[in-house]
Amino acid sequence: MNLNVLTQKPSKPPGSAGRRLPVLVPLSCCCVLALAFAAVFGSWLAPLDLSQQNLLEAGLPPAGGHLLGTDQFGRDILSRVLVGTRAAMEGPLVVALCATAVAVTLGLLAGFKGGWTDAVIMRVMDMLFAIPGLLVVTVVVGLFGGGYWLAVIMLVVLTAPGGTRVIRSSVLAQRNLPYIEAARTLGVPTRKLMFIHILPNILPNVVAAALLDFVGGLISLSSLSFLGLGSPPGASDWGRMLAENRGLLGQNPWAAIAPALLLIVAAFSVTVLGDWAYARLEEGRNVRD
């Protein structure tokens, strides 16, 4: 008996990736690549030592050797935002990868197994999902004296439930389709059914959830740093820089505008790429089907 014939997926209407604005996708891709490059090579790209202070040049507007001016301690803003790209990208990436891994594992188990497995997993996820995530992270990090990686761990725990619900719903739509029933009849192991047959068919939802988790982690971690609960004082973190340089809006507005603008560009670009990637993967799946 030919398993390829029995496991043929049902046809679906083609996707709508072409409806996205054509200019935004390549522009967002260039922005993400530039941010990734700065995250890896920021310390080499920085024109000046980011810790070098000169109070005689405090709060200078863009001029001379300071393309974005200086902060209240005379430190070069361009050097600090370049080096701060790594901290801005690293934490959200960990949040997205870990939360997605947890969500895929628990969502597949809950959706495919059903019964008590589904009930226990989803009750725990519902309880965590009902908790105001950023508020809880703020309280916990504040009680333990701050800490960037403590905030990252808390965000992973509180971000995973949303992705788990999405993955579970997608699995429920797949598990009783004819190709899964045919594979079951042929004795395909449960693990292979979940990770080899079902997971590729829900990949668009997985990718979209991961990219949205990245954006959520970026905003949450920057907000905590802005409140003084994430990165330590003086760190070249975009949220921390925005908080420390608010008082310089009259002297050198770029000291606060530069990190704020980078946060907006990063969040917007990843969101656009997430929408585009979902549409393309969905379209490719429909073509294969």
Side-chain angles (χ1 to χ4, degrees):
M1 186 177 297
N2 191 341
L3 181 59
N4 293 329
V5 175
L6 291 174
T7 58
Q8 186 176 5
K9 284 77 172 179
S11 61
K12 301 179 182 66
S16 56
R19 293 184 295 181
R20 275 64 182 175
L21 293 178
V23 178
L24 286 181
V25 174
L27 182 61
S28 298
C29 186
C30 291
C31 290
V32 170
L33 290 176
L35 289 171
F37 186 81
V40 176
F41 301 106
S43 57
W44 287 277
L45 295 173
L48 297 172
D49 183 1
L50 74 158
S51 62
Q52 181 180 353
Q53 300 183 15
N54 186 350
L55 296 179
L56 297 177
E57 297 182 348
L60 290 181
H66 304 287
L67 296 180
L68 293 178
T70 61
D71 63 8
Q72 73 270 31
F73 297 110
R75 296 174 297 190
D76 185 61
I77 294 298
L78 177 59
S79 300
R80 290 178 62 77
V81 294
L82 284 173
V83 175
T85 307
R86 172 173 294 181
M89 300 290 107
E90 192 175 35
L93 184 61
V94 173
V95 170
L97 292 177
C98 294
T100 301
V102 173
V104 167
T105 303
L106 296 181
L108 282 170
L109 285 173
F112 192 81
K113 292 283 190 177
W116 281 104
T117 303
D118 183 27
V120 171
I121 291 175
M122 294 315 298
R123 294 302 74 78
V124 174
M125 294 299 106
D126 290 342
M127 180 185 67
L128 293 174
F129 192 77
I131 296 175
L134 189 56
L135 177 60
V136 171
V137 175
T138 302
V139 172
V140 172
V141 174
L143 286 175
F144 286 91
Y148 185 82
W149 290 107
L150 175 60
V152 169
I153 294 171
M154 291 295 300
L155 284 173
V156 169
V157 174
L158 296 172
T159 299
T164 301
R165 291 160 65 110
V166 172
I167 301 304
R168 173 183 176 272
S169 299
S170 302
V171 174
L172 288 175
Q174 295 285 326
R175 71 176 186 179
N176 292 323
L177 292 180
Y179 79 97
I180 294 296
E181 294 295 337
R184 275 191 181 129
T185 303
L186 294 176
V188 177
T190 299
R191 183 181 302 176
K192 188 174 180 180
L193 284 175
M194 290 192 296
F195 290 97
I196 302 299
H197 293 279
I198 292 181
L199 183 57
N201 282 302
I202 62 173
L203 191 60
N205 293 327
V206 173
V207 172
L211 293 175
L212 288 178
D213 288 344
F214 178 90
V215 175
L218 175 66
I219 296 172
S220 297
L221 290 171
S222 299
S223 301
L224 289 170
S225 294
F226 181 83
L227 295 173
L229 298 174
S231 298
S236 55
D237 179 274
W238 293 348
R240 175 70 69 170
M241 290 178 62
L242 182 57
E244 292 176 345
N245 296 324
R246 287 177 297 169
L248 295 178
L249 290 175
Q251 297 174 261
N252 178 23
W254 282 103
I257 290 176
L261 188 61
L262 285 171
L263 283 170
I264 294 171
V265 169
F268 178 79
S269 299
V270 174
T271 301
V272 170
L273 287 182
D275 182 59
W276 174 81
Y278 173 82
R280 295 293 296 177
L281 288 171
E282 188 72 20
E283 183 178 277
R285 187 184 71 174
N286 292 332
V287 169
R288 291 193 305 270
D289 293 344

